[in-house]
Amino acid sequence: MNPASYWLDTAPPFIGSSPEPVSGRYDVVVIGGGFTGLSAARTLARLGVSVALLEAGKVASEASGRNGGHCNNGLAHDFSATAAAHGIDRAREMYRAFDAGVDLVEEIVRSEAIDCHFVRSGKLKLAAKPAHFDSMRRARDVLAREVDDDTAIIERGDLRAEIGNDGYHGGLLYRRSAMLHVGKFGQGLAGVAARAGATIFEDAAVTAIEELAGQYRIGTIRGTVVADKVILATGASQHGPFSWFRRRLVPIGSFIIVTEPLGENLARDIMPGGRTCTTTQNIGNYFRLTPDHRLVWGGRARFAMSSPRSDLKSGEILQRQLRAVFPQIADCRIDYCWGGLVDMTQDRLPRSGTHRGMHFAMGFSGHGVQMSTYMGDLMAREAVGQDVANPWRDLDWSAVPFHFGKPWFLPFVGLYYRAKDRWS
Ligand SMILES: Cc1cc2nc3c(=O)[nH]c(=O)nc-3n(C[C@H](O)[C@H](O)[C@H](O)COP(=O)(O)OP(=O)(O)OC[C@H]3O[C@@H](n4cnc5c(N)ncnc54)[C@H](O)[C@@H]3O)c2cc1C
């Protein structure tokens, strides 16, 4: 079993990284080379702005290259609850930003000819309990009335056309959702940004940021650059001078296994609908097929950070879950198993604004493939003074109580959600 991300293992690597020492002066420096940073760098370079991107490791090698490959519309949080907290107009604006995020990913893929198997597959949320399906019906009524009539309820009796398992109680379909090969998208986006003029430095971890007379001096392990503006796109970063953000984000491990190629017939047997699927439990699963007919099966198997040991333990749990849902493929080989860190906020809404004059966008809470791409583009425009409508502006973002950077409380959070899943 390969402990690497299937997406990164099957994508052509980015070869446009600058071998020079990190030095010079740029209009904008982007820190972080996931989808947020790469999208920002692409937009800035296309606007004719001089831009350097500093990435600690390789581009798209953290969450952006290690996720489930779902590019879904819809909020991570319940729409009615979001409307109750922020008002219906703001909730609509937030919801529509996800629609726009999926549209932007599609537009980039088409206009830049990035070969990454983008398909408007639709997303199917599966009810694990009868009560969850009742809530789903109510949620769909609200969505259809207020913001998204491109959704549909799938009755239990009709689920066989979607999924080869009779255990779910119904589903909610989001037709605007999509899927893509995130490794090929990430490497492609880096290539596009570099060709447009962005200088991309890999293996250039940022260690210090100083403000001097209206400019920023950014120190890395390979040298120092100066910039007028800085965009922070560091996701769930666990290193570098970002402790203000670490106190506000909870880095939660999410884990994925990928089967051997199953063949077209068996793949169609387990997922005839060919959609991205998620389940309704708090500690549920997310899954989809790949173009070569593998099953990508993910979940928050354990409330732990990702590490080689933790990923393997989580992989065993995921394999048991997979066998229970799809006994048809109980004997299949597992070819890949990996994990990554989700940059979770307490209310599962992203955050974006300025901190010490630097622009930031993060906290995508497991719904970031589309939103990170969208917010990277938006922050780039904001940084050059364009008037943009940031859907996450002005949201309160207090530090998580008793969280000083290392999430010592994760096992307790896990216990809480396990109990919730049992009783609700
Ligand atoms: C296992 C898993 C499954 C997921 N599944 C899905 C899914 O199916 N659909 C979906 O929409 N979302 C999903 N997500 C979330 C999604 O992947 C993220 O929201 C998104 O990729 C965030 O992009 P980003 O660019 O903000 O962060 P990242 O991709 O994490 O990029 C941040 C970058 O900053 C760099 N960095 C950090 N510190 C420094 C430093 N000091 N100096 C320089 N660089 C630094 C890191 O090396 C990293 O490359 C999943 C996440 C995980 C972990």
Side-chain angles (χ1 to χ4, degrees):
M1 186 163 53
N2 189 339
S5 155
Y6 161 80
W7 309 116
L8 295 172
D9 194 48
T10 56
F14 168 61
I15 48 166
S17 182
S18 171
E20 303 297 326
V22 175
S23 66
R25 196 205 148 276
Y26 293 86
D27 295 333
V28 184
V29 161
V30 177
I31 305 178
F35 295 157
T36 309
L38 292 170
S39 174
R42 167 185 175 266
T43 299
L44 289 163
R46 284 165 56 108
L47 288 169
V49 171
S50 73
V51 51
L53 183 148
L54 305 172
E55 163 55 44
K58 302 295 176 200
V59 293
S61 61
E62 292 300 329
S64 296
R66 308 175 72 80
N67 58 63
H70 300 206
C71 183
N72 293 330
N73 75 319
L75 294 167
H77 194 42
D78 176 63
F79 180 79
S80 296
T82 308
H86 301 283
I88 186 73
D89 290 338
R90 190 69 184 272
R92 278 199 199 101
E93 188 189 348
M94 293 172 178
Y95 191 99
R96 287 181 183 141
F98 279 89
D99 290 346
V102 182
D103 291 348
L104 178 64
V105 171
E106 182 171 36
E107 194 268 317
I108 293 173
V109 168
R110 303 256 182 269
S111 66
E112 307 283 10
I114 300 177
D115 178 13
C116 62
H117 315 281
F118 178 96
V119 183
R120 285 271 179 179
S121 54
K123 157 184 151 176
L124 184 61
K125 192 162 185 180
L126 293 158
K129 296 183 179 179
H132 295 184
F133 191 45
D134 296 340
S135 313
M136 227 174 220
R137 283 185 198 282
R138 291 193 292 277
R140 197 269 156 173
D141 288 346
V142 176
L143 286 179
R145 191 175 64 238
E146 301 292 352
V147 71
D148 188 356
D149 60 4
D150 229 352
T151 46
I153 282 292
I154 312 269
E155 297 293 338
R156 185 172 193 170
D158 297 327
L159 271 187
R160 261 286 158 176
E162 295 288 348
I163 183 157
N165 170 291
D166 294 323
Y168 297 105
H169 298 269
L172 174 54
L173 175 63
Y174 295 73
R175 290 198 186 87
R176 293 176 197 160
S177 291
M179 61 169 74
L180 76 169
H181 186 305
V182 287
K184 293 184 180 178
F185 180 62
Q187 308 302 320
L189 198 54
V192 164
R195 282 193 296 281
T199 306
I200 298 184
F201 295 99
E202 293 180 304
D203 302 315
V206 170
T207 51
I209 305 176
E210 253 182 279
E211 257 178 283
L212 277 179
Q215 288 196 321
Y216 296 89
R217 261 176 86 83
I218 302 133
T220 78
I221 56 168
R222 282 176 55 198
T224 300
V225 276
V226 175
D228 295 335
K229 306 263 172 163
V230 174
I231 292 179
L232 300 175
T234 42
S237 174
Q238 296 300 292
H239 58 99
F242 309 114
S243 56
W244 191 86
F245 297 98
R246 278 195 280 277
R247 293 203 56 202
R248 285 157 175 81
L249 291 169
V250 180
I252 293 189
S254 192
F255 306 92
I256 295 181
I257 53 175
V258 173
T259 68
E260 64 182 315
L262 300 170
E264 204 174 337
N265 290 343
L266 199 47
R268 202 179 310 118
D269 189 37
I270 59 167
M271 294 193 74
R275 307 196 191 273
T276 61
C277 287
T278 63
T279 61
T280 49
Q281 300 102 321
N282 290 295
I283 309 181
N285 292 107
Y286 49 92
F287 47 100
R288 55 160 286 187
L289 295 171
T290 63
D292 60 346
H293 310 299
R294 299 169 187 266
L295 178 66
V296 181
W297 179 266
R300 204 159 295 143
R302 298 162 63 245
F303 270 67
M305 304 269 277
S306 167
S307 69
R309 210 164 135 243
S310 176
D311 294 356
L312 279 182
K313 274 191 180 173
S314 302
E316 286 164 16
I317 298 172
L318 290 176
Q319 206 171 343
R320 286 201 291 278
Q321 295 168 342
L322 183 155
R323 286 191 184 125
V325 173
F326 293 127
Q328 308 91 309
I329 55 168
D331 295 332
C332 74
R333 195 180 65 232
I334 302 298
D335 280 353
Y336 294 88
C337 170
W338 73 91
L341 288 182
V342 172
D343 50 340
M344 196 71 83
T345 60
Q346 280 182 290
D347 60 7
R348 303 191 69 196
L349 295 176
R351 292 297 189 274
S352 175
T354 53
H355 173 66
R356 290 173 45 205
M358 298 179 283
H359 301 260
F360 68 84
M362 53 190 75
F364 299 116
S365 303
H367 278 49
V369 167
Q370 59 318 75
M371 190 47 58
S372 59
T373 310
Y374 183 75
M375 289 309 298
D377 173 72
L378 189 139
M379 278 196 303
R381 294 177 191 285
E382 196 174 67
V384 297
Q386 289 187 12
D387 199 12
V388 293
N390 181 343
W392 318 112
R393 65 187 176 277
D394 307 332
L395 292 183
D396 171 54
W397 201 15
S398 307
V400 177
F402 307 109
H403 178 25
F404 304 103
K406 291 278 171 227
W408 54 269
F409 44 84
L410 280 186
F412 303 102
V413 178
L415 283 176
Y416 168 74
Y417 281 118
R418 265 178 239 291
K420 233 180 140 184
D421 277 342
R422 181 166 292 192
W423 304 115
S424 67

